[in-house]
Amino acid sequence: MYEFKMPALGAEMTSGKLIEWRVKKGDRIKAHDIIALIDTDKAAIEAESFYSGVVEELIAKPGDKVPVGTVLALIREVDEGTIAETEVKKESSAPIPDHSESMKKAIAAAMAKSKREIPHYYLSYEIDLSKAVNWLETYNREHPVTQRLLMASLLIRATALALKKHPEFNGFFVDEAYRPSQAIHIGFAISLRGGGLIAPAILDAGEQTLSQTMGNLSDLVMRARGGKLRDRELSESTITITNLGDFGVDAVFGVIYPPQVALLGFGKIDSKNRVVMTLSGDHRVSNGLLGSRFLTTIARYLEEPEKL
Amino acid sequence: MDIKKAVLHSLHLIAPEVDLEAINPDALLREEIELDSVDFLRFVQQLHNELNVDVLEKDYDKLSTLNRCVAYLEEKIHLNH
């Protein structure tokens, strides 16, 4: 028997509220099926089961607010081969709660913790994006509108590739030690209408093609705005990118989201196709020299957009 | 085909939380609805789905307001026929 518990979605989360079940007693589920919609301080998220099996008992009721780690349901283990496709309820009928106030508090707590504990250093690096801009124009002209790419997808892809060579920027600082991550999950800051901000992860960004990266970015933005993020997307980012170029900003010097150890910022692309890329780094893990090498690698990838 | 209806429906899919009835048809959509570049690309893709029109990237400026969107799409659809 497995216990499905209230997940911890970020370091600051202490409790969560069950909005609705997406399964009922007796349903067969596979690992990664979405089984519940859970409300946190920052967003409503779709929680996955980590196990395959049959839903034995739904302990928590919609509306229950419980501490992280509380058992919500029991899943009975069955032979993996016998799990057939189930009709897991896909769409939410429950109203999406308004998070603007609780989200502000959660961000305030995380940012205050960051500035208290993380000795930040900051670097900026101006990149000539002429080749990337020209390549993107040609690509988008030659492809149907549904396959168009945005510069953001190139920035994410170049970052993912560079992180493979610079592991000191991809991971977590926990219990006084740095733990690099094998997987590359790039958090991407998304502004919500009404003033909220959330940085869910493009999971396994290191394993995706450029067009997959674009598709996943678009999907992530849509789901972030619609309150349909999944638990892993909120808890597993190994680095964050913030792109304020759309809003006319020249450069952004961001605050690292703990327990991550780096944040990359991009400003607007100017009339000469130049953009200022910035790195906020954790000095307990890396330093200005390592940071400058990391930024140089990203810039080189962006000079050869056809290889991204 | 009601082009304005299609434009409003496309915008509604991208920004369901915005009251589209209340927006000024001459205000900049990027500011009025806070569209970023991902939203804007999805808007153009949705217009393609609804009206079978491909908006070129160089024409994005012509979709800056609700009224300009409708005028541009009317002209584009008229030329296609």
Side-chain angles (χ1 to χ4, degrees):
Chain A
M1 195 78 72
Y2 295 117
E3 294 176 333
F4 172 70
K5 295 175 181 170
M6 175 60 73
L9 306 157
E12 273 66 45
M13 179 172 162
T14 54
S15 66
K17 183 167 133 188
L18 176 70
I19 300 176
E20 66 174 12
W21 287 111
R22 296 283 175 84
V23 292
K24 57 185 186 305
K25 189 177 173 181
D27 279 354
R28 287 169 171 258
I29 54 171
K30 299 190 301 300
H32 302 304
D33 275 351
I34 291 157
I35 63 172
L37 187 65
I38 286 170
D39 193 25
T40 73
D41 287 342
K42 294 183 104 180
I45 57 103
E46 296 183 317
E48 299 174 6
S49 171
F50 290 117
Y51 306 107
S52 298
V54 171
V55 178
E56 182 71 19
E57 188 182 354
L58 299 178
I59 297 169
K61 293 184 181 57
D64 286 358
K65 189 172 182 186
V66 298
V68 166
T70 305
V71 178
L72 301 176
L74 298 176
I75 314 291
R76 179 161 43 90
E77 193 182 0
V78 291
D79 181 14
E80 188 86 23
T82 65
I83 300 288
E85 286 291 316
T86 53
E87 283 187 40
V88 174
K89 197 172 142 201
K90 297 284 185 214
E91 278 306 307
S92 171
S93 50
I96 301 300
D98 179 8
H99 290 96
S100 43
E101 282 310 310
S102 55
M103 184 182 276
K104 272 184 206 160
K105 283 185 190 161
I107 292 170
M111 296 298 98
K113 178 184 167 71
S114 175
K115 281 286 185 174
R116 259 195 324 268
E117 296 178 4
I118 302 177
H120 286 63
Y121 67 87
Y122 304 94
L123 303 175
S124 78
Y125 190 119
E126 193 176 75
I127 313 179
D128 182 354
L129 282 180
S130 298
K131 282 182 186 160
V133 167
N134 291 335
W135 181 86
L136 197 59
E137 265 178 27
T138 308
Y139 182 96
N140 285 344
R141 208 168 43 237
E142 291 172 351
H143 286 77
V145 65
T146 48
Q147 291 174 30
R148 267 179 210 166
L149 302 174
L150 293 171
M151 184 58 80
S153 63
L154 276 69
L155 302 178
I156 293 167
R157 183 75 191 127
T159 301
L161 290 169
L163 284 170
K164 293 183 181 186
K165 296 181 176 173
H166 300 272
E168 54 280 345
F169 298 94
N170 187 64
F172 306 108
F173 191 89
V174 275
D175 300 331
E176 300 301 311
Y178 177 54
R179 297 180 184 168
S181 168
Q182 284 291 318
I184 295 170
H185 304 312
I186 297 186
F188 192 82
I190 297 168
S191 59
L192 305 178
R193 294 180 189 91
L197 179 73
I198 199 160
I202 296 175
L203 297 171
D204 295 309
E207 311 302 319
Q208 294 165 15
T209 64
L210 188 55
S211 59
Q212 284 169 334
T213 303
M214 182 65 229
N216 288 330
L217 172 64
S218 181
D219 177 56
L220 199 65
V221 169
M222 184 173 64
R223 287 190 293 107
R225 300 254 166 82
K228 296 222 171 119
L229 294 170
R230 300 191 181 141
D231 46 4
R232 289 183 63 214
E233 291 166 341
L234 279 181
S235 57
E236 295 193 9
S237 292
T238 53
I239 187 171
T240 295
I241 293 179
T242 177
N243 179 11
L244 286 177
D246 284 348
F247 306 101
V249 162
D250 292 326
V252 47
F253 300 89
V255 180
I256 298 168
Y257 199 95
Q260 296 163 35
V261 298
L263 178 138
L264 277 170
F266 292 91
K268 70 168 188 246
I269 301 171
D270 73 10
S271 56
K272 293 175 181 165
N273 293 329
R274 300 187 78 84
V275 68
V276 177
M277 166 173 61
T278 55
L279 172 70
S280 305
D282 183 338
H283 226 316
R284 297 170 301 182
V285 179
S286 63
N287 55 45
L289 177 63
L290 292 170
S292 61
R293 287 179 182 154
F294 176 42
L295 295 181
T296 303
T297 304
I298 296 173
R300 288 204 179 128
Y301 277 118
L302 289 167
E303 281 171 14
E304 296 184 301
E306 68 283 357
K307 292 185 182 169
L308 286 173
Chain B
M1 190 186 318
D2 189 333
I3 292 174
K4 187 176 174 187
K5 220 173 184 173
V7 170
L8 286 174
H9 184 245
S10 300
L11 286 172
H12 172 72
L13 291 177
I14 287 137
E17 64 276 48
V18 175
D19 178 9
L20 295 171
E21 297 290 319
I23 67 168
N24 172 355
D26 291 313
L28 293 174
L29 288 173
R30 276 185 189 262
E31 291 175 9
E32 192 83 353
I33 314 184
E34 298 179 48
L35 296 183
D36 63 17
S37 54
V38 176
D39 293 323
F40 200 79
L41 177 57
R42 286 183 50 227
F43 174 49
V44 170
Q45 289 171 337
Q46 190 56 36
L47 289 175
H48 166 86
N49 292 343
E50 302 226 0
L51 298 168
N52 200 25
V53 169
D54 278 359
V55 179
L56 300 172
E57 273 195 317
K58 67 177 177 61
D59 288 346
Y60 279 5
D61 286 349
K62 297 177 183 170
L63 303 183
S64 58
T65 70
L66 187 57
N67 279 343
R68 293 194 74 195
C69 271
V70 174
Y72 170 82
L73 292 166
E74 271 173 355
E75 190 186 333
K76 188 111 176 155
I77 288 167
H78 180 70
L79 286 176
N80 284 352
H81 289 284

